[in-house]
């Protein structure tokens, strides 16, 4: 026997064995048939002396022909006169004798080696013995080949897994990831199609990725739990293997894929199990269709797919926890945003007067409704602050608060500002523009100075409020909007309605909830509060550290009538913080108008000042302390006026020069 070296292919080796058998048994033809595990049919693997085409087409059932019977019996069979034997299957017309011996591995018949002759009585027992020993050798060779092939395919599978693991690490999103997994899998020999379905929120399985599936097929690939093989794997979690789908009744072919009748395809479906230990539920199904490759191959495929399912589940878990983390972060940002809004003093409606406390309560009540509000009050009284407060206390707080000042924009532009326009609606409309209504969608629209809106636009506004749709200029399309409207004015709309300068119907619409904000002069107890508030705000803004203001200054501010309300007070405080040269804001840091007003105020400031100062001293110390303070101020002012000339100052004060000297010494001036 020639030594068998590695350059030989398995078929070369089998071919060599056939030639040896023919030579030893003095036969004319010979073949090795192997049982295809897919259908248990003998197919010719190598042959000699036979028409190759015919040989390739020859398929025998176990038990069919002499070869089939040898396979069935597991023993060699001799036919020496084919004409007498009905079992004989003739491949060549001149053959009359046949000797067949089964190839057995681990007591399992895997094929048959047979020789034929054109002579009658060509084979005897001795030939049969020789053939049996060669058949054994061939069987072992086949088994080795199978093991090597198996090993090779396992190595390929390992490579495939490595590639998939890499894809899972890199993939940024699911569709890309599933697509790539399928592409890698397609390197597996014989893969025809593949699909990953995942359950959606309604527990309906939908295609998340596919290989060799058309768009339509993917659209059709929707399964309810329990429906078909995929649906049942999803419900019972068991791996499903169908050796031949053409013979399966279970196989739905929902995707309506046409398959050649000659193809023998197997189907594998495996559950993708959630990695969340708490649920451990099934989240999807991985399925593939591939050329049948025998039981062993099926085992390998299942092993490979099981690992892939695990990898996918792991990835999904990581994805979803990342999403959860993102949502948590979003939640955090949301609450931080809320905190910021709360801290942004522009959004806080301050006040401790009873009127403001009532107003705050009212704001709290109306905030969570979508009711239209009308805020009235003098300029600077806080109408916009109140409107913002309503918005930020409402469920719309995260959506935009959009304001428009109807008095500040020319009448002919307001319409476009409010409702938007289409490109080309008028000269200059070079692009589409979303109006304030659309900008405020789902949020709040603040219509400031509504009393200044022209009658024509009042009619249009009323229509939008009633119909909840806007039509941009130059467009005939109505767009639905969900906007909460808050209007504000310092005018008396009721009076205007009576005089027909404001539409009565619009007035009633807006006036559903009326929030009147009292003038600052009518809630004087809020003044000190705002003084402290603005002092803090402007110290910070201008980098100053002025802790307080003098009694006189505070007195002056409290006595003033504030026609410009809080805005005026705010401006006044800012100016004071900027101009103040000392540690305390004093009356000289305040505008003339305020001082003049304070002088006219009814309660004498000196008396108030003294009364206030009295509070600063313990009983028994009051007289000397206050008199000393007054003396101090008096002498200091007199000296300043006299340019530090003591003689002149004492004359001015009407006291003796020595007395003045004495006092200066005592007071340390
Ligand atoms: N209740 C209030 N709490 C805090 N700040 C206020 C309050 N009322 C008014 N302001 C401040 O006064 C200024 C004027 O308020 P604003 O709402 O614009 O008045 P209006 O819209 O009535 O003219 C703003 O700078 C605002 O910050
Ligand atoms: Mg305003």
């Amino acid at each position: 026997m020639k030594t068998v070296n590695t350059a030989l292919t398995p078929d070369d080796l089998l071919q060599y064995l056939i030639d040896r058998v023919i030579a030893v048994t003095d036969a004319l033809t010979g073949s090795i048939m192997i049982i295809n595990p897919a259908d248990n049919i003998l197919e010719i693997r190598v042959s000699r002396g036979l028409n190759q085409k015919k040989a390739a087409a020859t398929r025998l059932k176990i038990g069919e022909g002499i070869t089939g019977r040898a396979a069935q019996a597991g023993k060699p069979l001799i036919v020496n006169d084919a004409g007498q034997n009905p079992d004989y299957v003739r491949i060549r017309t001149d053959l009359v004798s046949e000797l067949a011996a089964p190839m057995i591995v681990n007591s399992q018949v895997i094929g048959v080696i047979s020789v034929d002759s054109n002579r009658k009585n060509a084979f005897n027992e001795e030939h049969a013995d020789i053939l049996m020993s060669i058949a054994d050798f061939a069987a072992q060779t086949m088994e080795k080949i199978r093991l090597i092939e198996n090993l090779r395919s396992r190595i390929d599978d390992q490579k495939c897994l490595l590639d998939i693991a890499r894809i899972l690490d890199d993939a940024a999103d699911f569709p890309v990831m599933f697509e790539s997994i399928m592409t890698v899998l397609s390197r597996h020999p014989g893969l025809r199609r593949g699909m990953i379905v995942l359950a959606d929120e309604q527990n309906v399985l939908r295609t998340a990725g596919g290989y060799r599936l058309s768009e339509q097929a993917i659209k059709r690939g929707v399964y309810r739990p329990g429906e078909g093989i995929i649906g049942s794997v999803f419900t019972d979690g068991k791996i499903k293997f169908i050796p031949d789908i053409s013979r399966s009744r279970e196989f739905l072919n929902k995707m309506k894929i046409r398959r050649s009748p000659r193809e023998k395809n197997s189907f594998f479906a495996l559950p993708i199990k959630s990695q969340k230990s708490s649920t451990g539920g099934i989240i999807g199904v991985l399925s593939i269709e591939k050329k049948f490759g025998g039981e062993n191959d099926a085992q390998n495929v299942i092993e490979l797919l099981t690992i892939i399912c695990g990898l996918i589940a792991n990835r999904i878990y990581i994805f979803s926890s990342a999403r959860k983390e993102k949502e948590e972060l979003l939640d955090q940002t949301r609450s931080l945003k809320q905190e910021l809004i709360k801290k942004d003093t522009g959004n806080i409606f301050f006040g401790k007067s009873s009127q403001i406390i009532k107003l705050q309560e009212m704001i709290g009540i109306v905030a969570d409704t979508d009711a239209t509000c009308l805020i009235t009050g003098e300029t600077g009284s806080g109408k916009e602050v109140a409107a913002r407060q309503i918005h930020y206390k409402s469920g719309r707080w995260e959506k935009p608060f959009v304001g428009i000042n109807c008095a500040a924009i020319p009448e002919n532009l307001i319409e476009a500002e409010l409702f938007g326009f289409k490109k080309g609606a008028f000269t200059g409309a070079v692009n589409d523009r979303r109006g304030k209504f659309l900008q405020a969608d789902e949020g709040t629209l603040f219509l400031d100075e509504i009393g200044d809106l022209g009658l024509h636009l009042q009619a249009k506004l009323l229509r939008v409020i009633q119909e909840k749709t806007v039509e941009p200029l130059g467009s005939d399309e109505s767009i639905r909007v969900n906007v909460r409207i808050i209007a504000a004015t310092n005018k008396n709309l009721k009076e205007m309605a009576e005089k027909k300068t404001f539409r009565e119907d619009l007035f009633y619409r807006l006036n559903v909830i009326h929030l009147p904000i009292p003038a600052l002069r009518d809630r004087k107890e809020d003044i000190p509060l705002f003084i402290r508030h603005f002092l803090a705000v402007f110290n910070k803004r201008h980098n100053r550290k002025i802790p307080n203001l003098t009694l006189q200054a505070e007195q002056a501010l409290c006595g003033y009538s504030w026609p410009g309300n809080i805005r005026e007070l705010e401006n006044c405080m800012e100016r004071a913080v900027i101009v103040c040269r000392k540690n305390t804001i004093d009356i000289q840091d305040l505008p003339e108008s305020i001082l003049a007003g304070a002088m006219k105020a009814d309660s004498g400031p000196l008396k108030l000042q003294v009364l206030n100062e009295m509070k600063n001293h313990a009983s028994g110390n009051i007289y000397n302390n206050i008199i000393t303070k007054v003396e101090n101020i008096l002498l200091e002012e007199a000296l300043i006026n006299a340019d530090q000339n003591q003689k002149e100052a004492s004359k001015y004060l009407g006291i003796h020069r020595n007395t003045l000297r004495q006092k200066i010494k005592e007071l340390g001036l």
Side-chain angles (χ1 to χ4, degrees), residues 378-385 405 446 448-449 488-490 567:
E378 289 180 9
T379 175
S381 59
K383 298 184 291 294
E384 183 164 348
V385 185
N405 187 331
F446 177 57
D448 203 1
E449 313 290 4
T489 184
N490 56 9
R567 184 177 295 112

Side-chain angles (χ1 to χ4, degrees), residues 400-434:
F401 174 92
V402 178
I404 178 167
N405 187 331
C406 304
I409 302 169
E411 172 88 30
N412 58 338
L413 294 184
I414 289 191
E415 190 168 1
E417 274 292 313
L418 275 177
F419 309 113
F421 50 79
K422 287 298 266 187
K423 182 177 166 180
F426 48 84
T427 343
V430 285
N431 278 313
D432 286 6
R433 163 93 166 266
R434 279 151 53 85

Side-chain angles (χ1 to χ4, degrees), residues 345-346 348-351 378-385 448 523 530 533-534 566-567 570:
T345 47
I348 304 175
F349 191 73
F350 282 119
E378 289 180 9
T379 175
S381 59
K383 298 184 291 294
E384 183 164 348
V385 185
D448 203 1
R523 43 173 169 130
F530 280 113
H533 167 61
F534 291 129
I566 296 156
R567 184 177 295 112
E570 186 177 3

Side-chain angles (χ1 to χ4, degrees), residues 235-254:
T235 29
D236 63 25
K238 289 198 188 105
I239 295 171
K240 193 89 196 178
F241 165 53
I242 297 176
D244 182 359
I245 50 176
S246 67
R247 297 208 197 140
S248 162
R249 284 221 203 116
E250 263 180 300
F251 195 76
L252 287 183
N253 195 17
K254 250 194 126 166

